Amino acid sequence: MSEEEVRKGLAGVVADYTAVSKVNPDSNSLLYRGYPVQELAAKVSFEEVALLLWTGELPTEAELTLFEAFERANRALDSRVKAAIDLLPLDCHPMDVGRTAVSVMGANDPLAKDSSPEAELEKAKSLFAQFPAVVAYDQRRRRALAVVPPRDDLNYSQNFLWMTFGEEAAPEVVNAFRVSMVLYAEHSFNASTFTARVITSTLSDLHSAVTGAIGALKGPLHGGANEAVMHTFDEIGIRKEESRLEAATRAKAWMEDALEKKKKVMGFGHRVYKNGDSRVPTMKAALDMMIEHFDRPEMLGLYDGLEQAMDEAKNIKPNLDYPAGPTYHLMGFDTDMFTPIFIASRITGWTAHIMEQRAANSLIRPLSAYNGVDERHLG
Ligand code: COA
């Protein structure tokens, strides 16, 4: 095999068809089942987006009501999942907790051996309903706080924040959170989704595929970037008393120094989008809303300073993780809880892909070009 046939990182390789979403870097657009993600973020609930991704169509009012009732009835933290989480050390990464929780859910799933389309959809809905309690409980136990039971008079986003913080969030905060969930839900053959499809292609089960996907999402080149953005902000130093301009000046200087040292700065760049991530303007608007709501102009200064300096030096644009990180920070989440929130959202896209893969399966098994030592023999 010639060297040029090896596509490192599968860059530019079209691995299969998908009808779940379309990423178009030229027009800078992202469609979920044909709908622009910006329109969905502006007009529909995250619950509706989940049904859209799974079934291909937005739900009717009756379908939505039925799903909402199911989601509200299945939100409580399963005692077996809680027991497994309690065995994990408080200093392990919350992504380890999420990965373990899904694995435990799979082992206890009454439909574990059933991979029919109906059973797969049922499992996807259950994961969707149950995962927020995992994130909320993990955040609380790290703060030595007790579990907050779910409330069935709240929608998905309101309840997620309620279970995490034990108080009702302001409508602006709920909205910014919902927007982030819609934007994080799906993005074609990214690393974690492809992982889920590879696992599914062996005819393994849905929970195994999602567990593997969580492992892929954890890395800082993928979902872990939203946390890494916050570490950058922390390294520069968040000074509440500072003006927007002062913060921007310090952030610019930090970025210039980082780029001079050839550092990779997380939250910038994308394998597919080269002229900016289609989701960023919508998420940035949600961040702006949070900055105004919590009166934190210095955060905007840090954001702008880094973005400008990166643009001037390398013309590399922010990706979704860049505005999402500080948004979750302002809402009150600990930094290492950001990627588990991403799981709660991406469960929808992953499971839509798992169902699509299973419906038209072909084992995913690429070739490799051998570059080790020549054949040799034992003396
Ligand atoms: N900071 C600094 N330089 C960056 C950069 C970043 N975030 N992203 C890309 N570059 C530079 C590389 O250093 C490289 O420069 P060079 O040609 O002078 O060596 C060039 O841009 C191409 O980068 P490369 O990593 O090869 O592109 P890719 O398509 O493989 O990478 C990412 C895409 C996402 C892996 C990459 O942009 C990255 O690591 N970003 C940071 C992690 C992140 O935010 N991930 C979330 C993605 S949604």
Side-chain angles (χ1 to χ4, degrees):
M1 183 177 289
S2 67
E3 216 171 80
E4 55 273 19
E5 284 170 6
V6 177
R7 294 284 190 89
K8 199 90 170 137
L10 300 183
V13 172
V14 179
D16 204 345
Y17 293 97
T18 182
V20 182
S21 69
K22 181 178 178 186
V23 180
N24 189 340
D26 299 325
S27 57
N28 202 11
S29 71
L30 170 62
L31 308 177
Y32 292 175
R33 301 282 188 185
Y35 293 106
V37 71
Q38 296 83 352
E39 281 180 33
L40 293 169
K43 293 187 179 154
V44 304
S45 68
F46 181 48
E47 294 87 319
E48 286 169 283
V49 169
L51 286 170
L52 170 70
L53 291 170
W54 291 327
T55 68
E57 293 299 335
L58 282 167
T60 61
E61 225 174 281
E63 287 164 347
L64 181 62
T65 305
L66 209 64
F67 177 52
E68 285 175 348
F70 172 89
E71 192 270 311
R72 287 171 196 225
N74 288 279
R75 283 173 170 173
L77 185 62
D78 185 304
S79 59
R80 293 161 300 193
V81 174
K82 181 177 180 301
I85 294 175
D86 288 339
L87 290 174
L88 302 178
L90 284 170
D91 60 359
C92 77
H93 195 282
M95 287 298 277
D96 300 344
V97 172
R99 193 188 59 223
T100 303
V102 172
S103 194
V104 172
M105 287 174 196
N108 288 294
D109 192 281
L111 298 171
K113 294 188 176 70
D114 186 351
S115 291
S116 63
E118 298 73 26
E120 295 279 87
L121 184 56
E122 202 61 25
K123 290 180 208 183
K125 288 179 179 172
S126 291
L127 267 178
F128 177 92
Q130 288 175 8
F131 200 76
V134 171
V135 182
Y137 175 54
D138 195 29
Q139 173 66 93
R140 293 188 70 77
R141 76 181 191 121
R142 285 164 198 270
R143 292 178 175 178
L145 298 169
V147 182
V148 173
R151 270 177 48 186
D152 63 9
D153 59 326
L154 302 177
N155 68 28
Y156 176 98
S157 298
Q158 289 170 323
N159 179 61
F160 200 135
L161 296 165
W162 163 256
M163 288 193 299
T164 306
F165 301 113
E167 53 189 51
E168 279 186 47
E172 295 88 340
V173 177
V174 173
N175 195 37
F177 188 77
R178 179 194 61 79
V179 165
S180 77
M181 298 305 275
V182 171
L183 296 176
Y184 265 136
E186 162 58 15
H187 211 220
S188 77
F189 281 20
N190 55 82
S192 58
T193 301
F194 194 62
T195 302
R197 291 190 76 125
V198 170
I199 295 173
T200 305
S201 83
T202 70
L203 299 185
S204 186
D205 63 286
L206 179 141
H207 286 87
S208 295
V210 172
T211 303
I214 292 172
L217 188 70
K218 184 180 177 186
L221 293 190
H222 191 9
N226 60 12
E227 296 176 28
V229 170
M230 216 51 233
H231 294 312
T232 300
F233 274 48
D234 286 336
E235 199 183 314
I236 299 167
I238 300 172
R239 300 179 189 159
K240 283 188 190 174
E241 69 290 352
E242 204 171 42
S243 75
R244 185 176 162 184
L245 191 66
E246 286 164 336
T249 307
R250 284 194 307 112
K252 270 186 108 169
W254 183 94
M255 179 64 98
E256 281 156 11
D257 181 57
L259 294 179
E260 210 177 289
K261 292 181 177 140
K262 304 251 172 272
K263 276 194 196 160
K264 228 177 197 185
V265 184
M266 301 298 147
F268 290 88
H270 200 274
R271 173 58 73 75
V272 182
Y273 300 113
K274 296 299 174 197
N275 298 310
D277 180 328
S278 63
R279 304 162 295 180
V280 165
T282 310
M283 194 63 226
K284 173 64 176 20
L287 170 61
D288 287 342
M289 203 156 65
M290 291 301 87
I291 285 171
E292 197 185 319
H293 179 76
F294 291 107
D295 190 22
R296 298 288 300 276
E298 91 287 358
M299 292 289 283
L300 194 56
L302 294 176
Y303 185 99
D304 289 343
L306 290 174
E307 184 184 10
Q308 269 171 28
M310 178 62 105
D311 194 45
E312 282 164 19
K314 296 194 74 137
N315 192 26
I316 297 177
K317 312 289 180 206
N319 57 53
L320 174 59
D321 293 315
Y322 188 56
T327 301
Y328 292 143
H329 171 82
L330 288 171
M331 286 174 180
F333 287 98
D334 288 346
T335 298
D336 53 9
M337 302 308 300
F338 298 177
T339 320
I341 302 171
F342 190 163
I343 300 179
S345 167
R346 189 55 67 84
I347 275 174
T348 57
W350 288 333
T351 49
H353 279 274
I354 290 167
M355 291 186 265
E356 186 179 64
Q357 177 70 35
R358 205 181 293 287
N361 191 47
S362 175
L363 177 71
I364 300 173
R365 201 302 189 190
L367 297 175
S368 53
Y370 180 68
N371 66 354
V373 294
D374 283 343
E375 180 171 340
R376 52 184 164 169
H377 297 277
L378 295 172

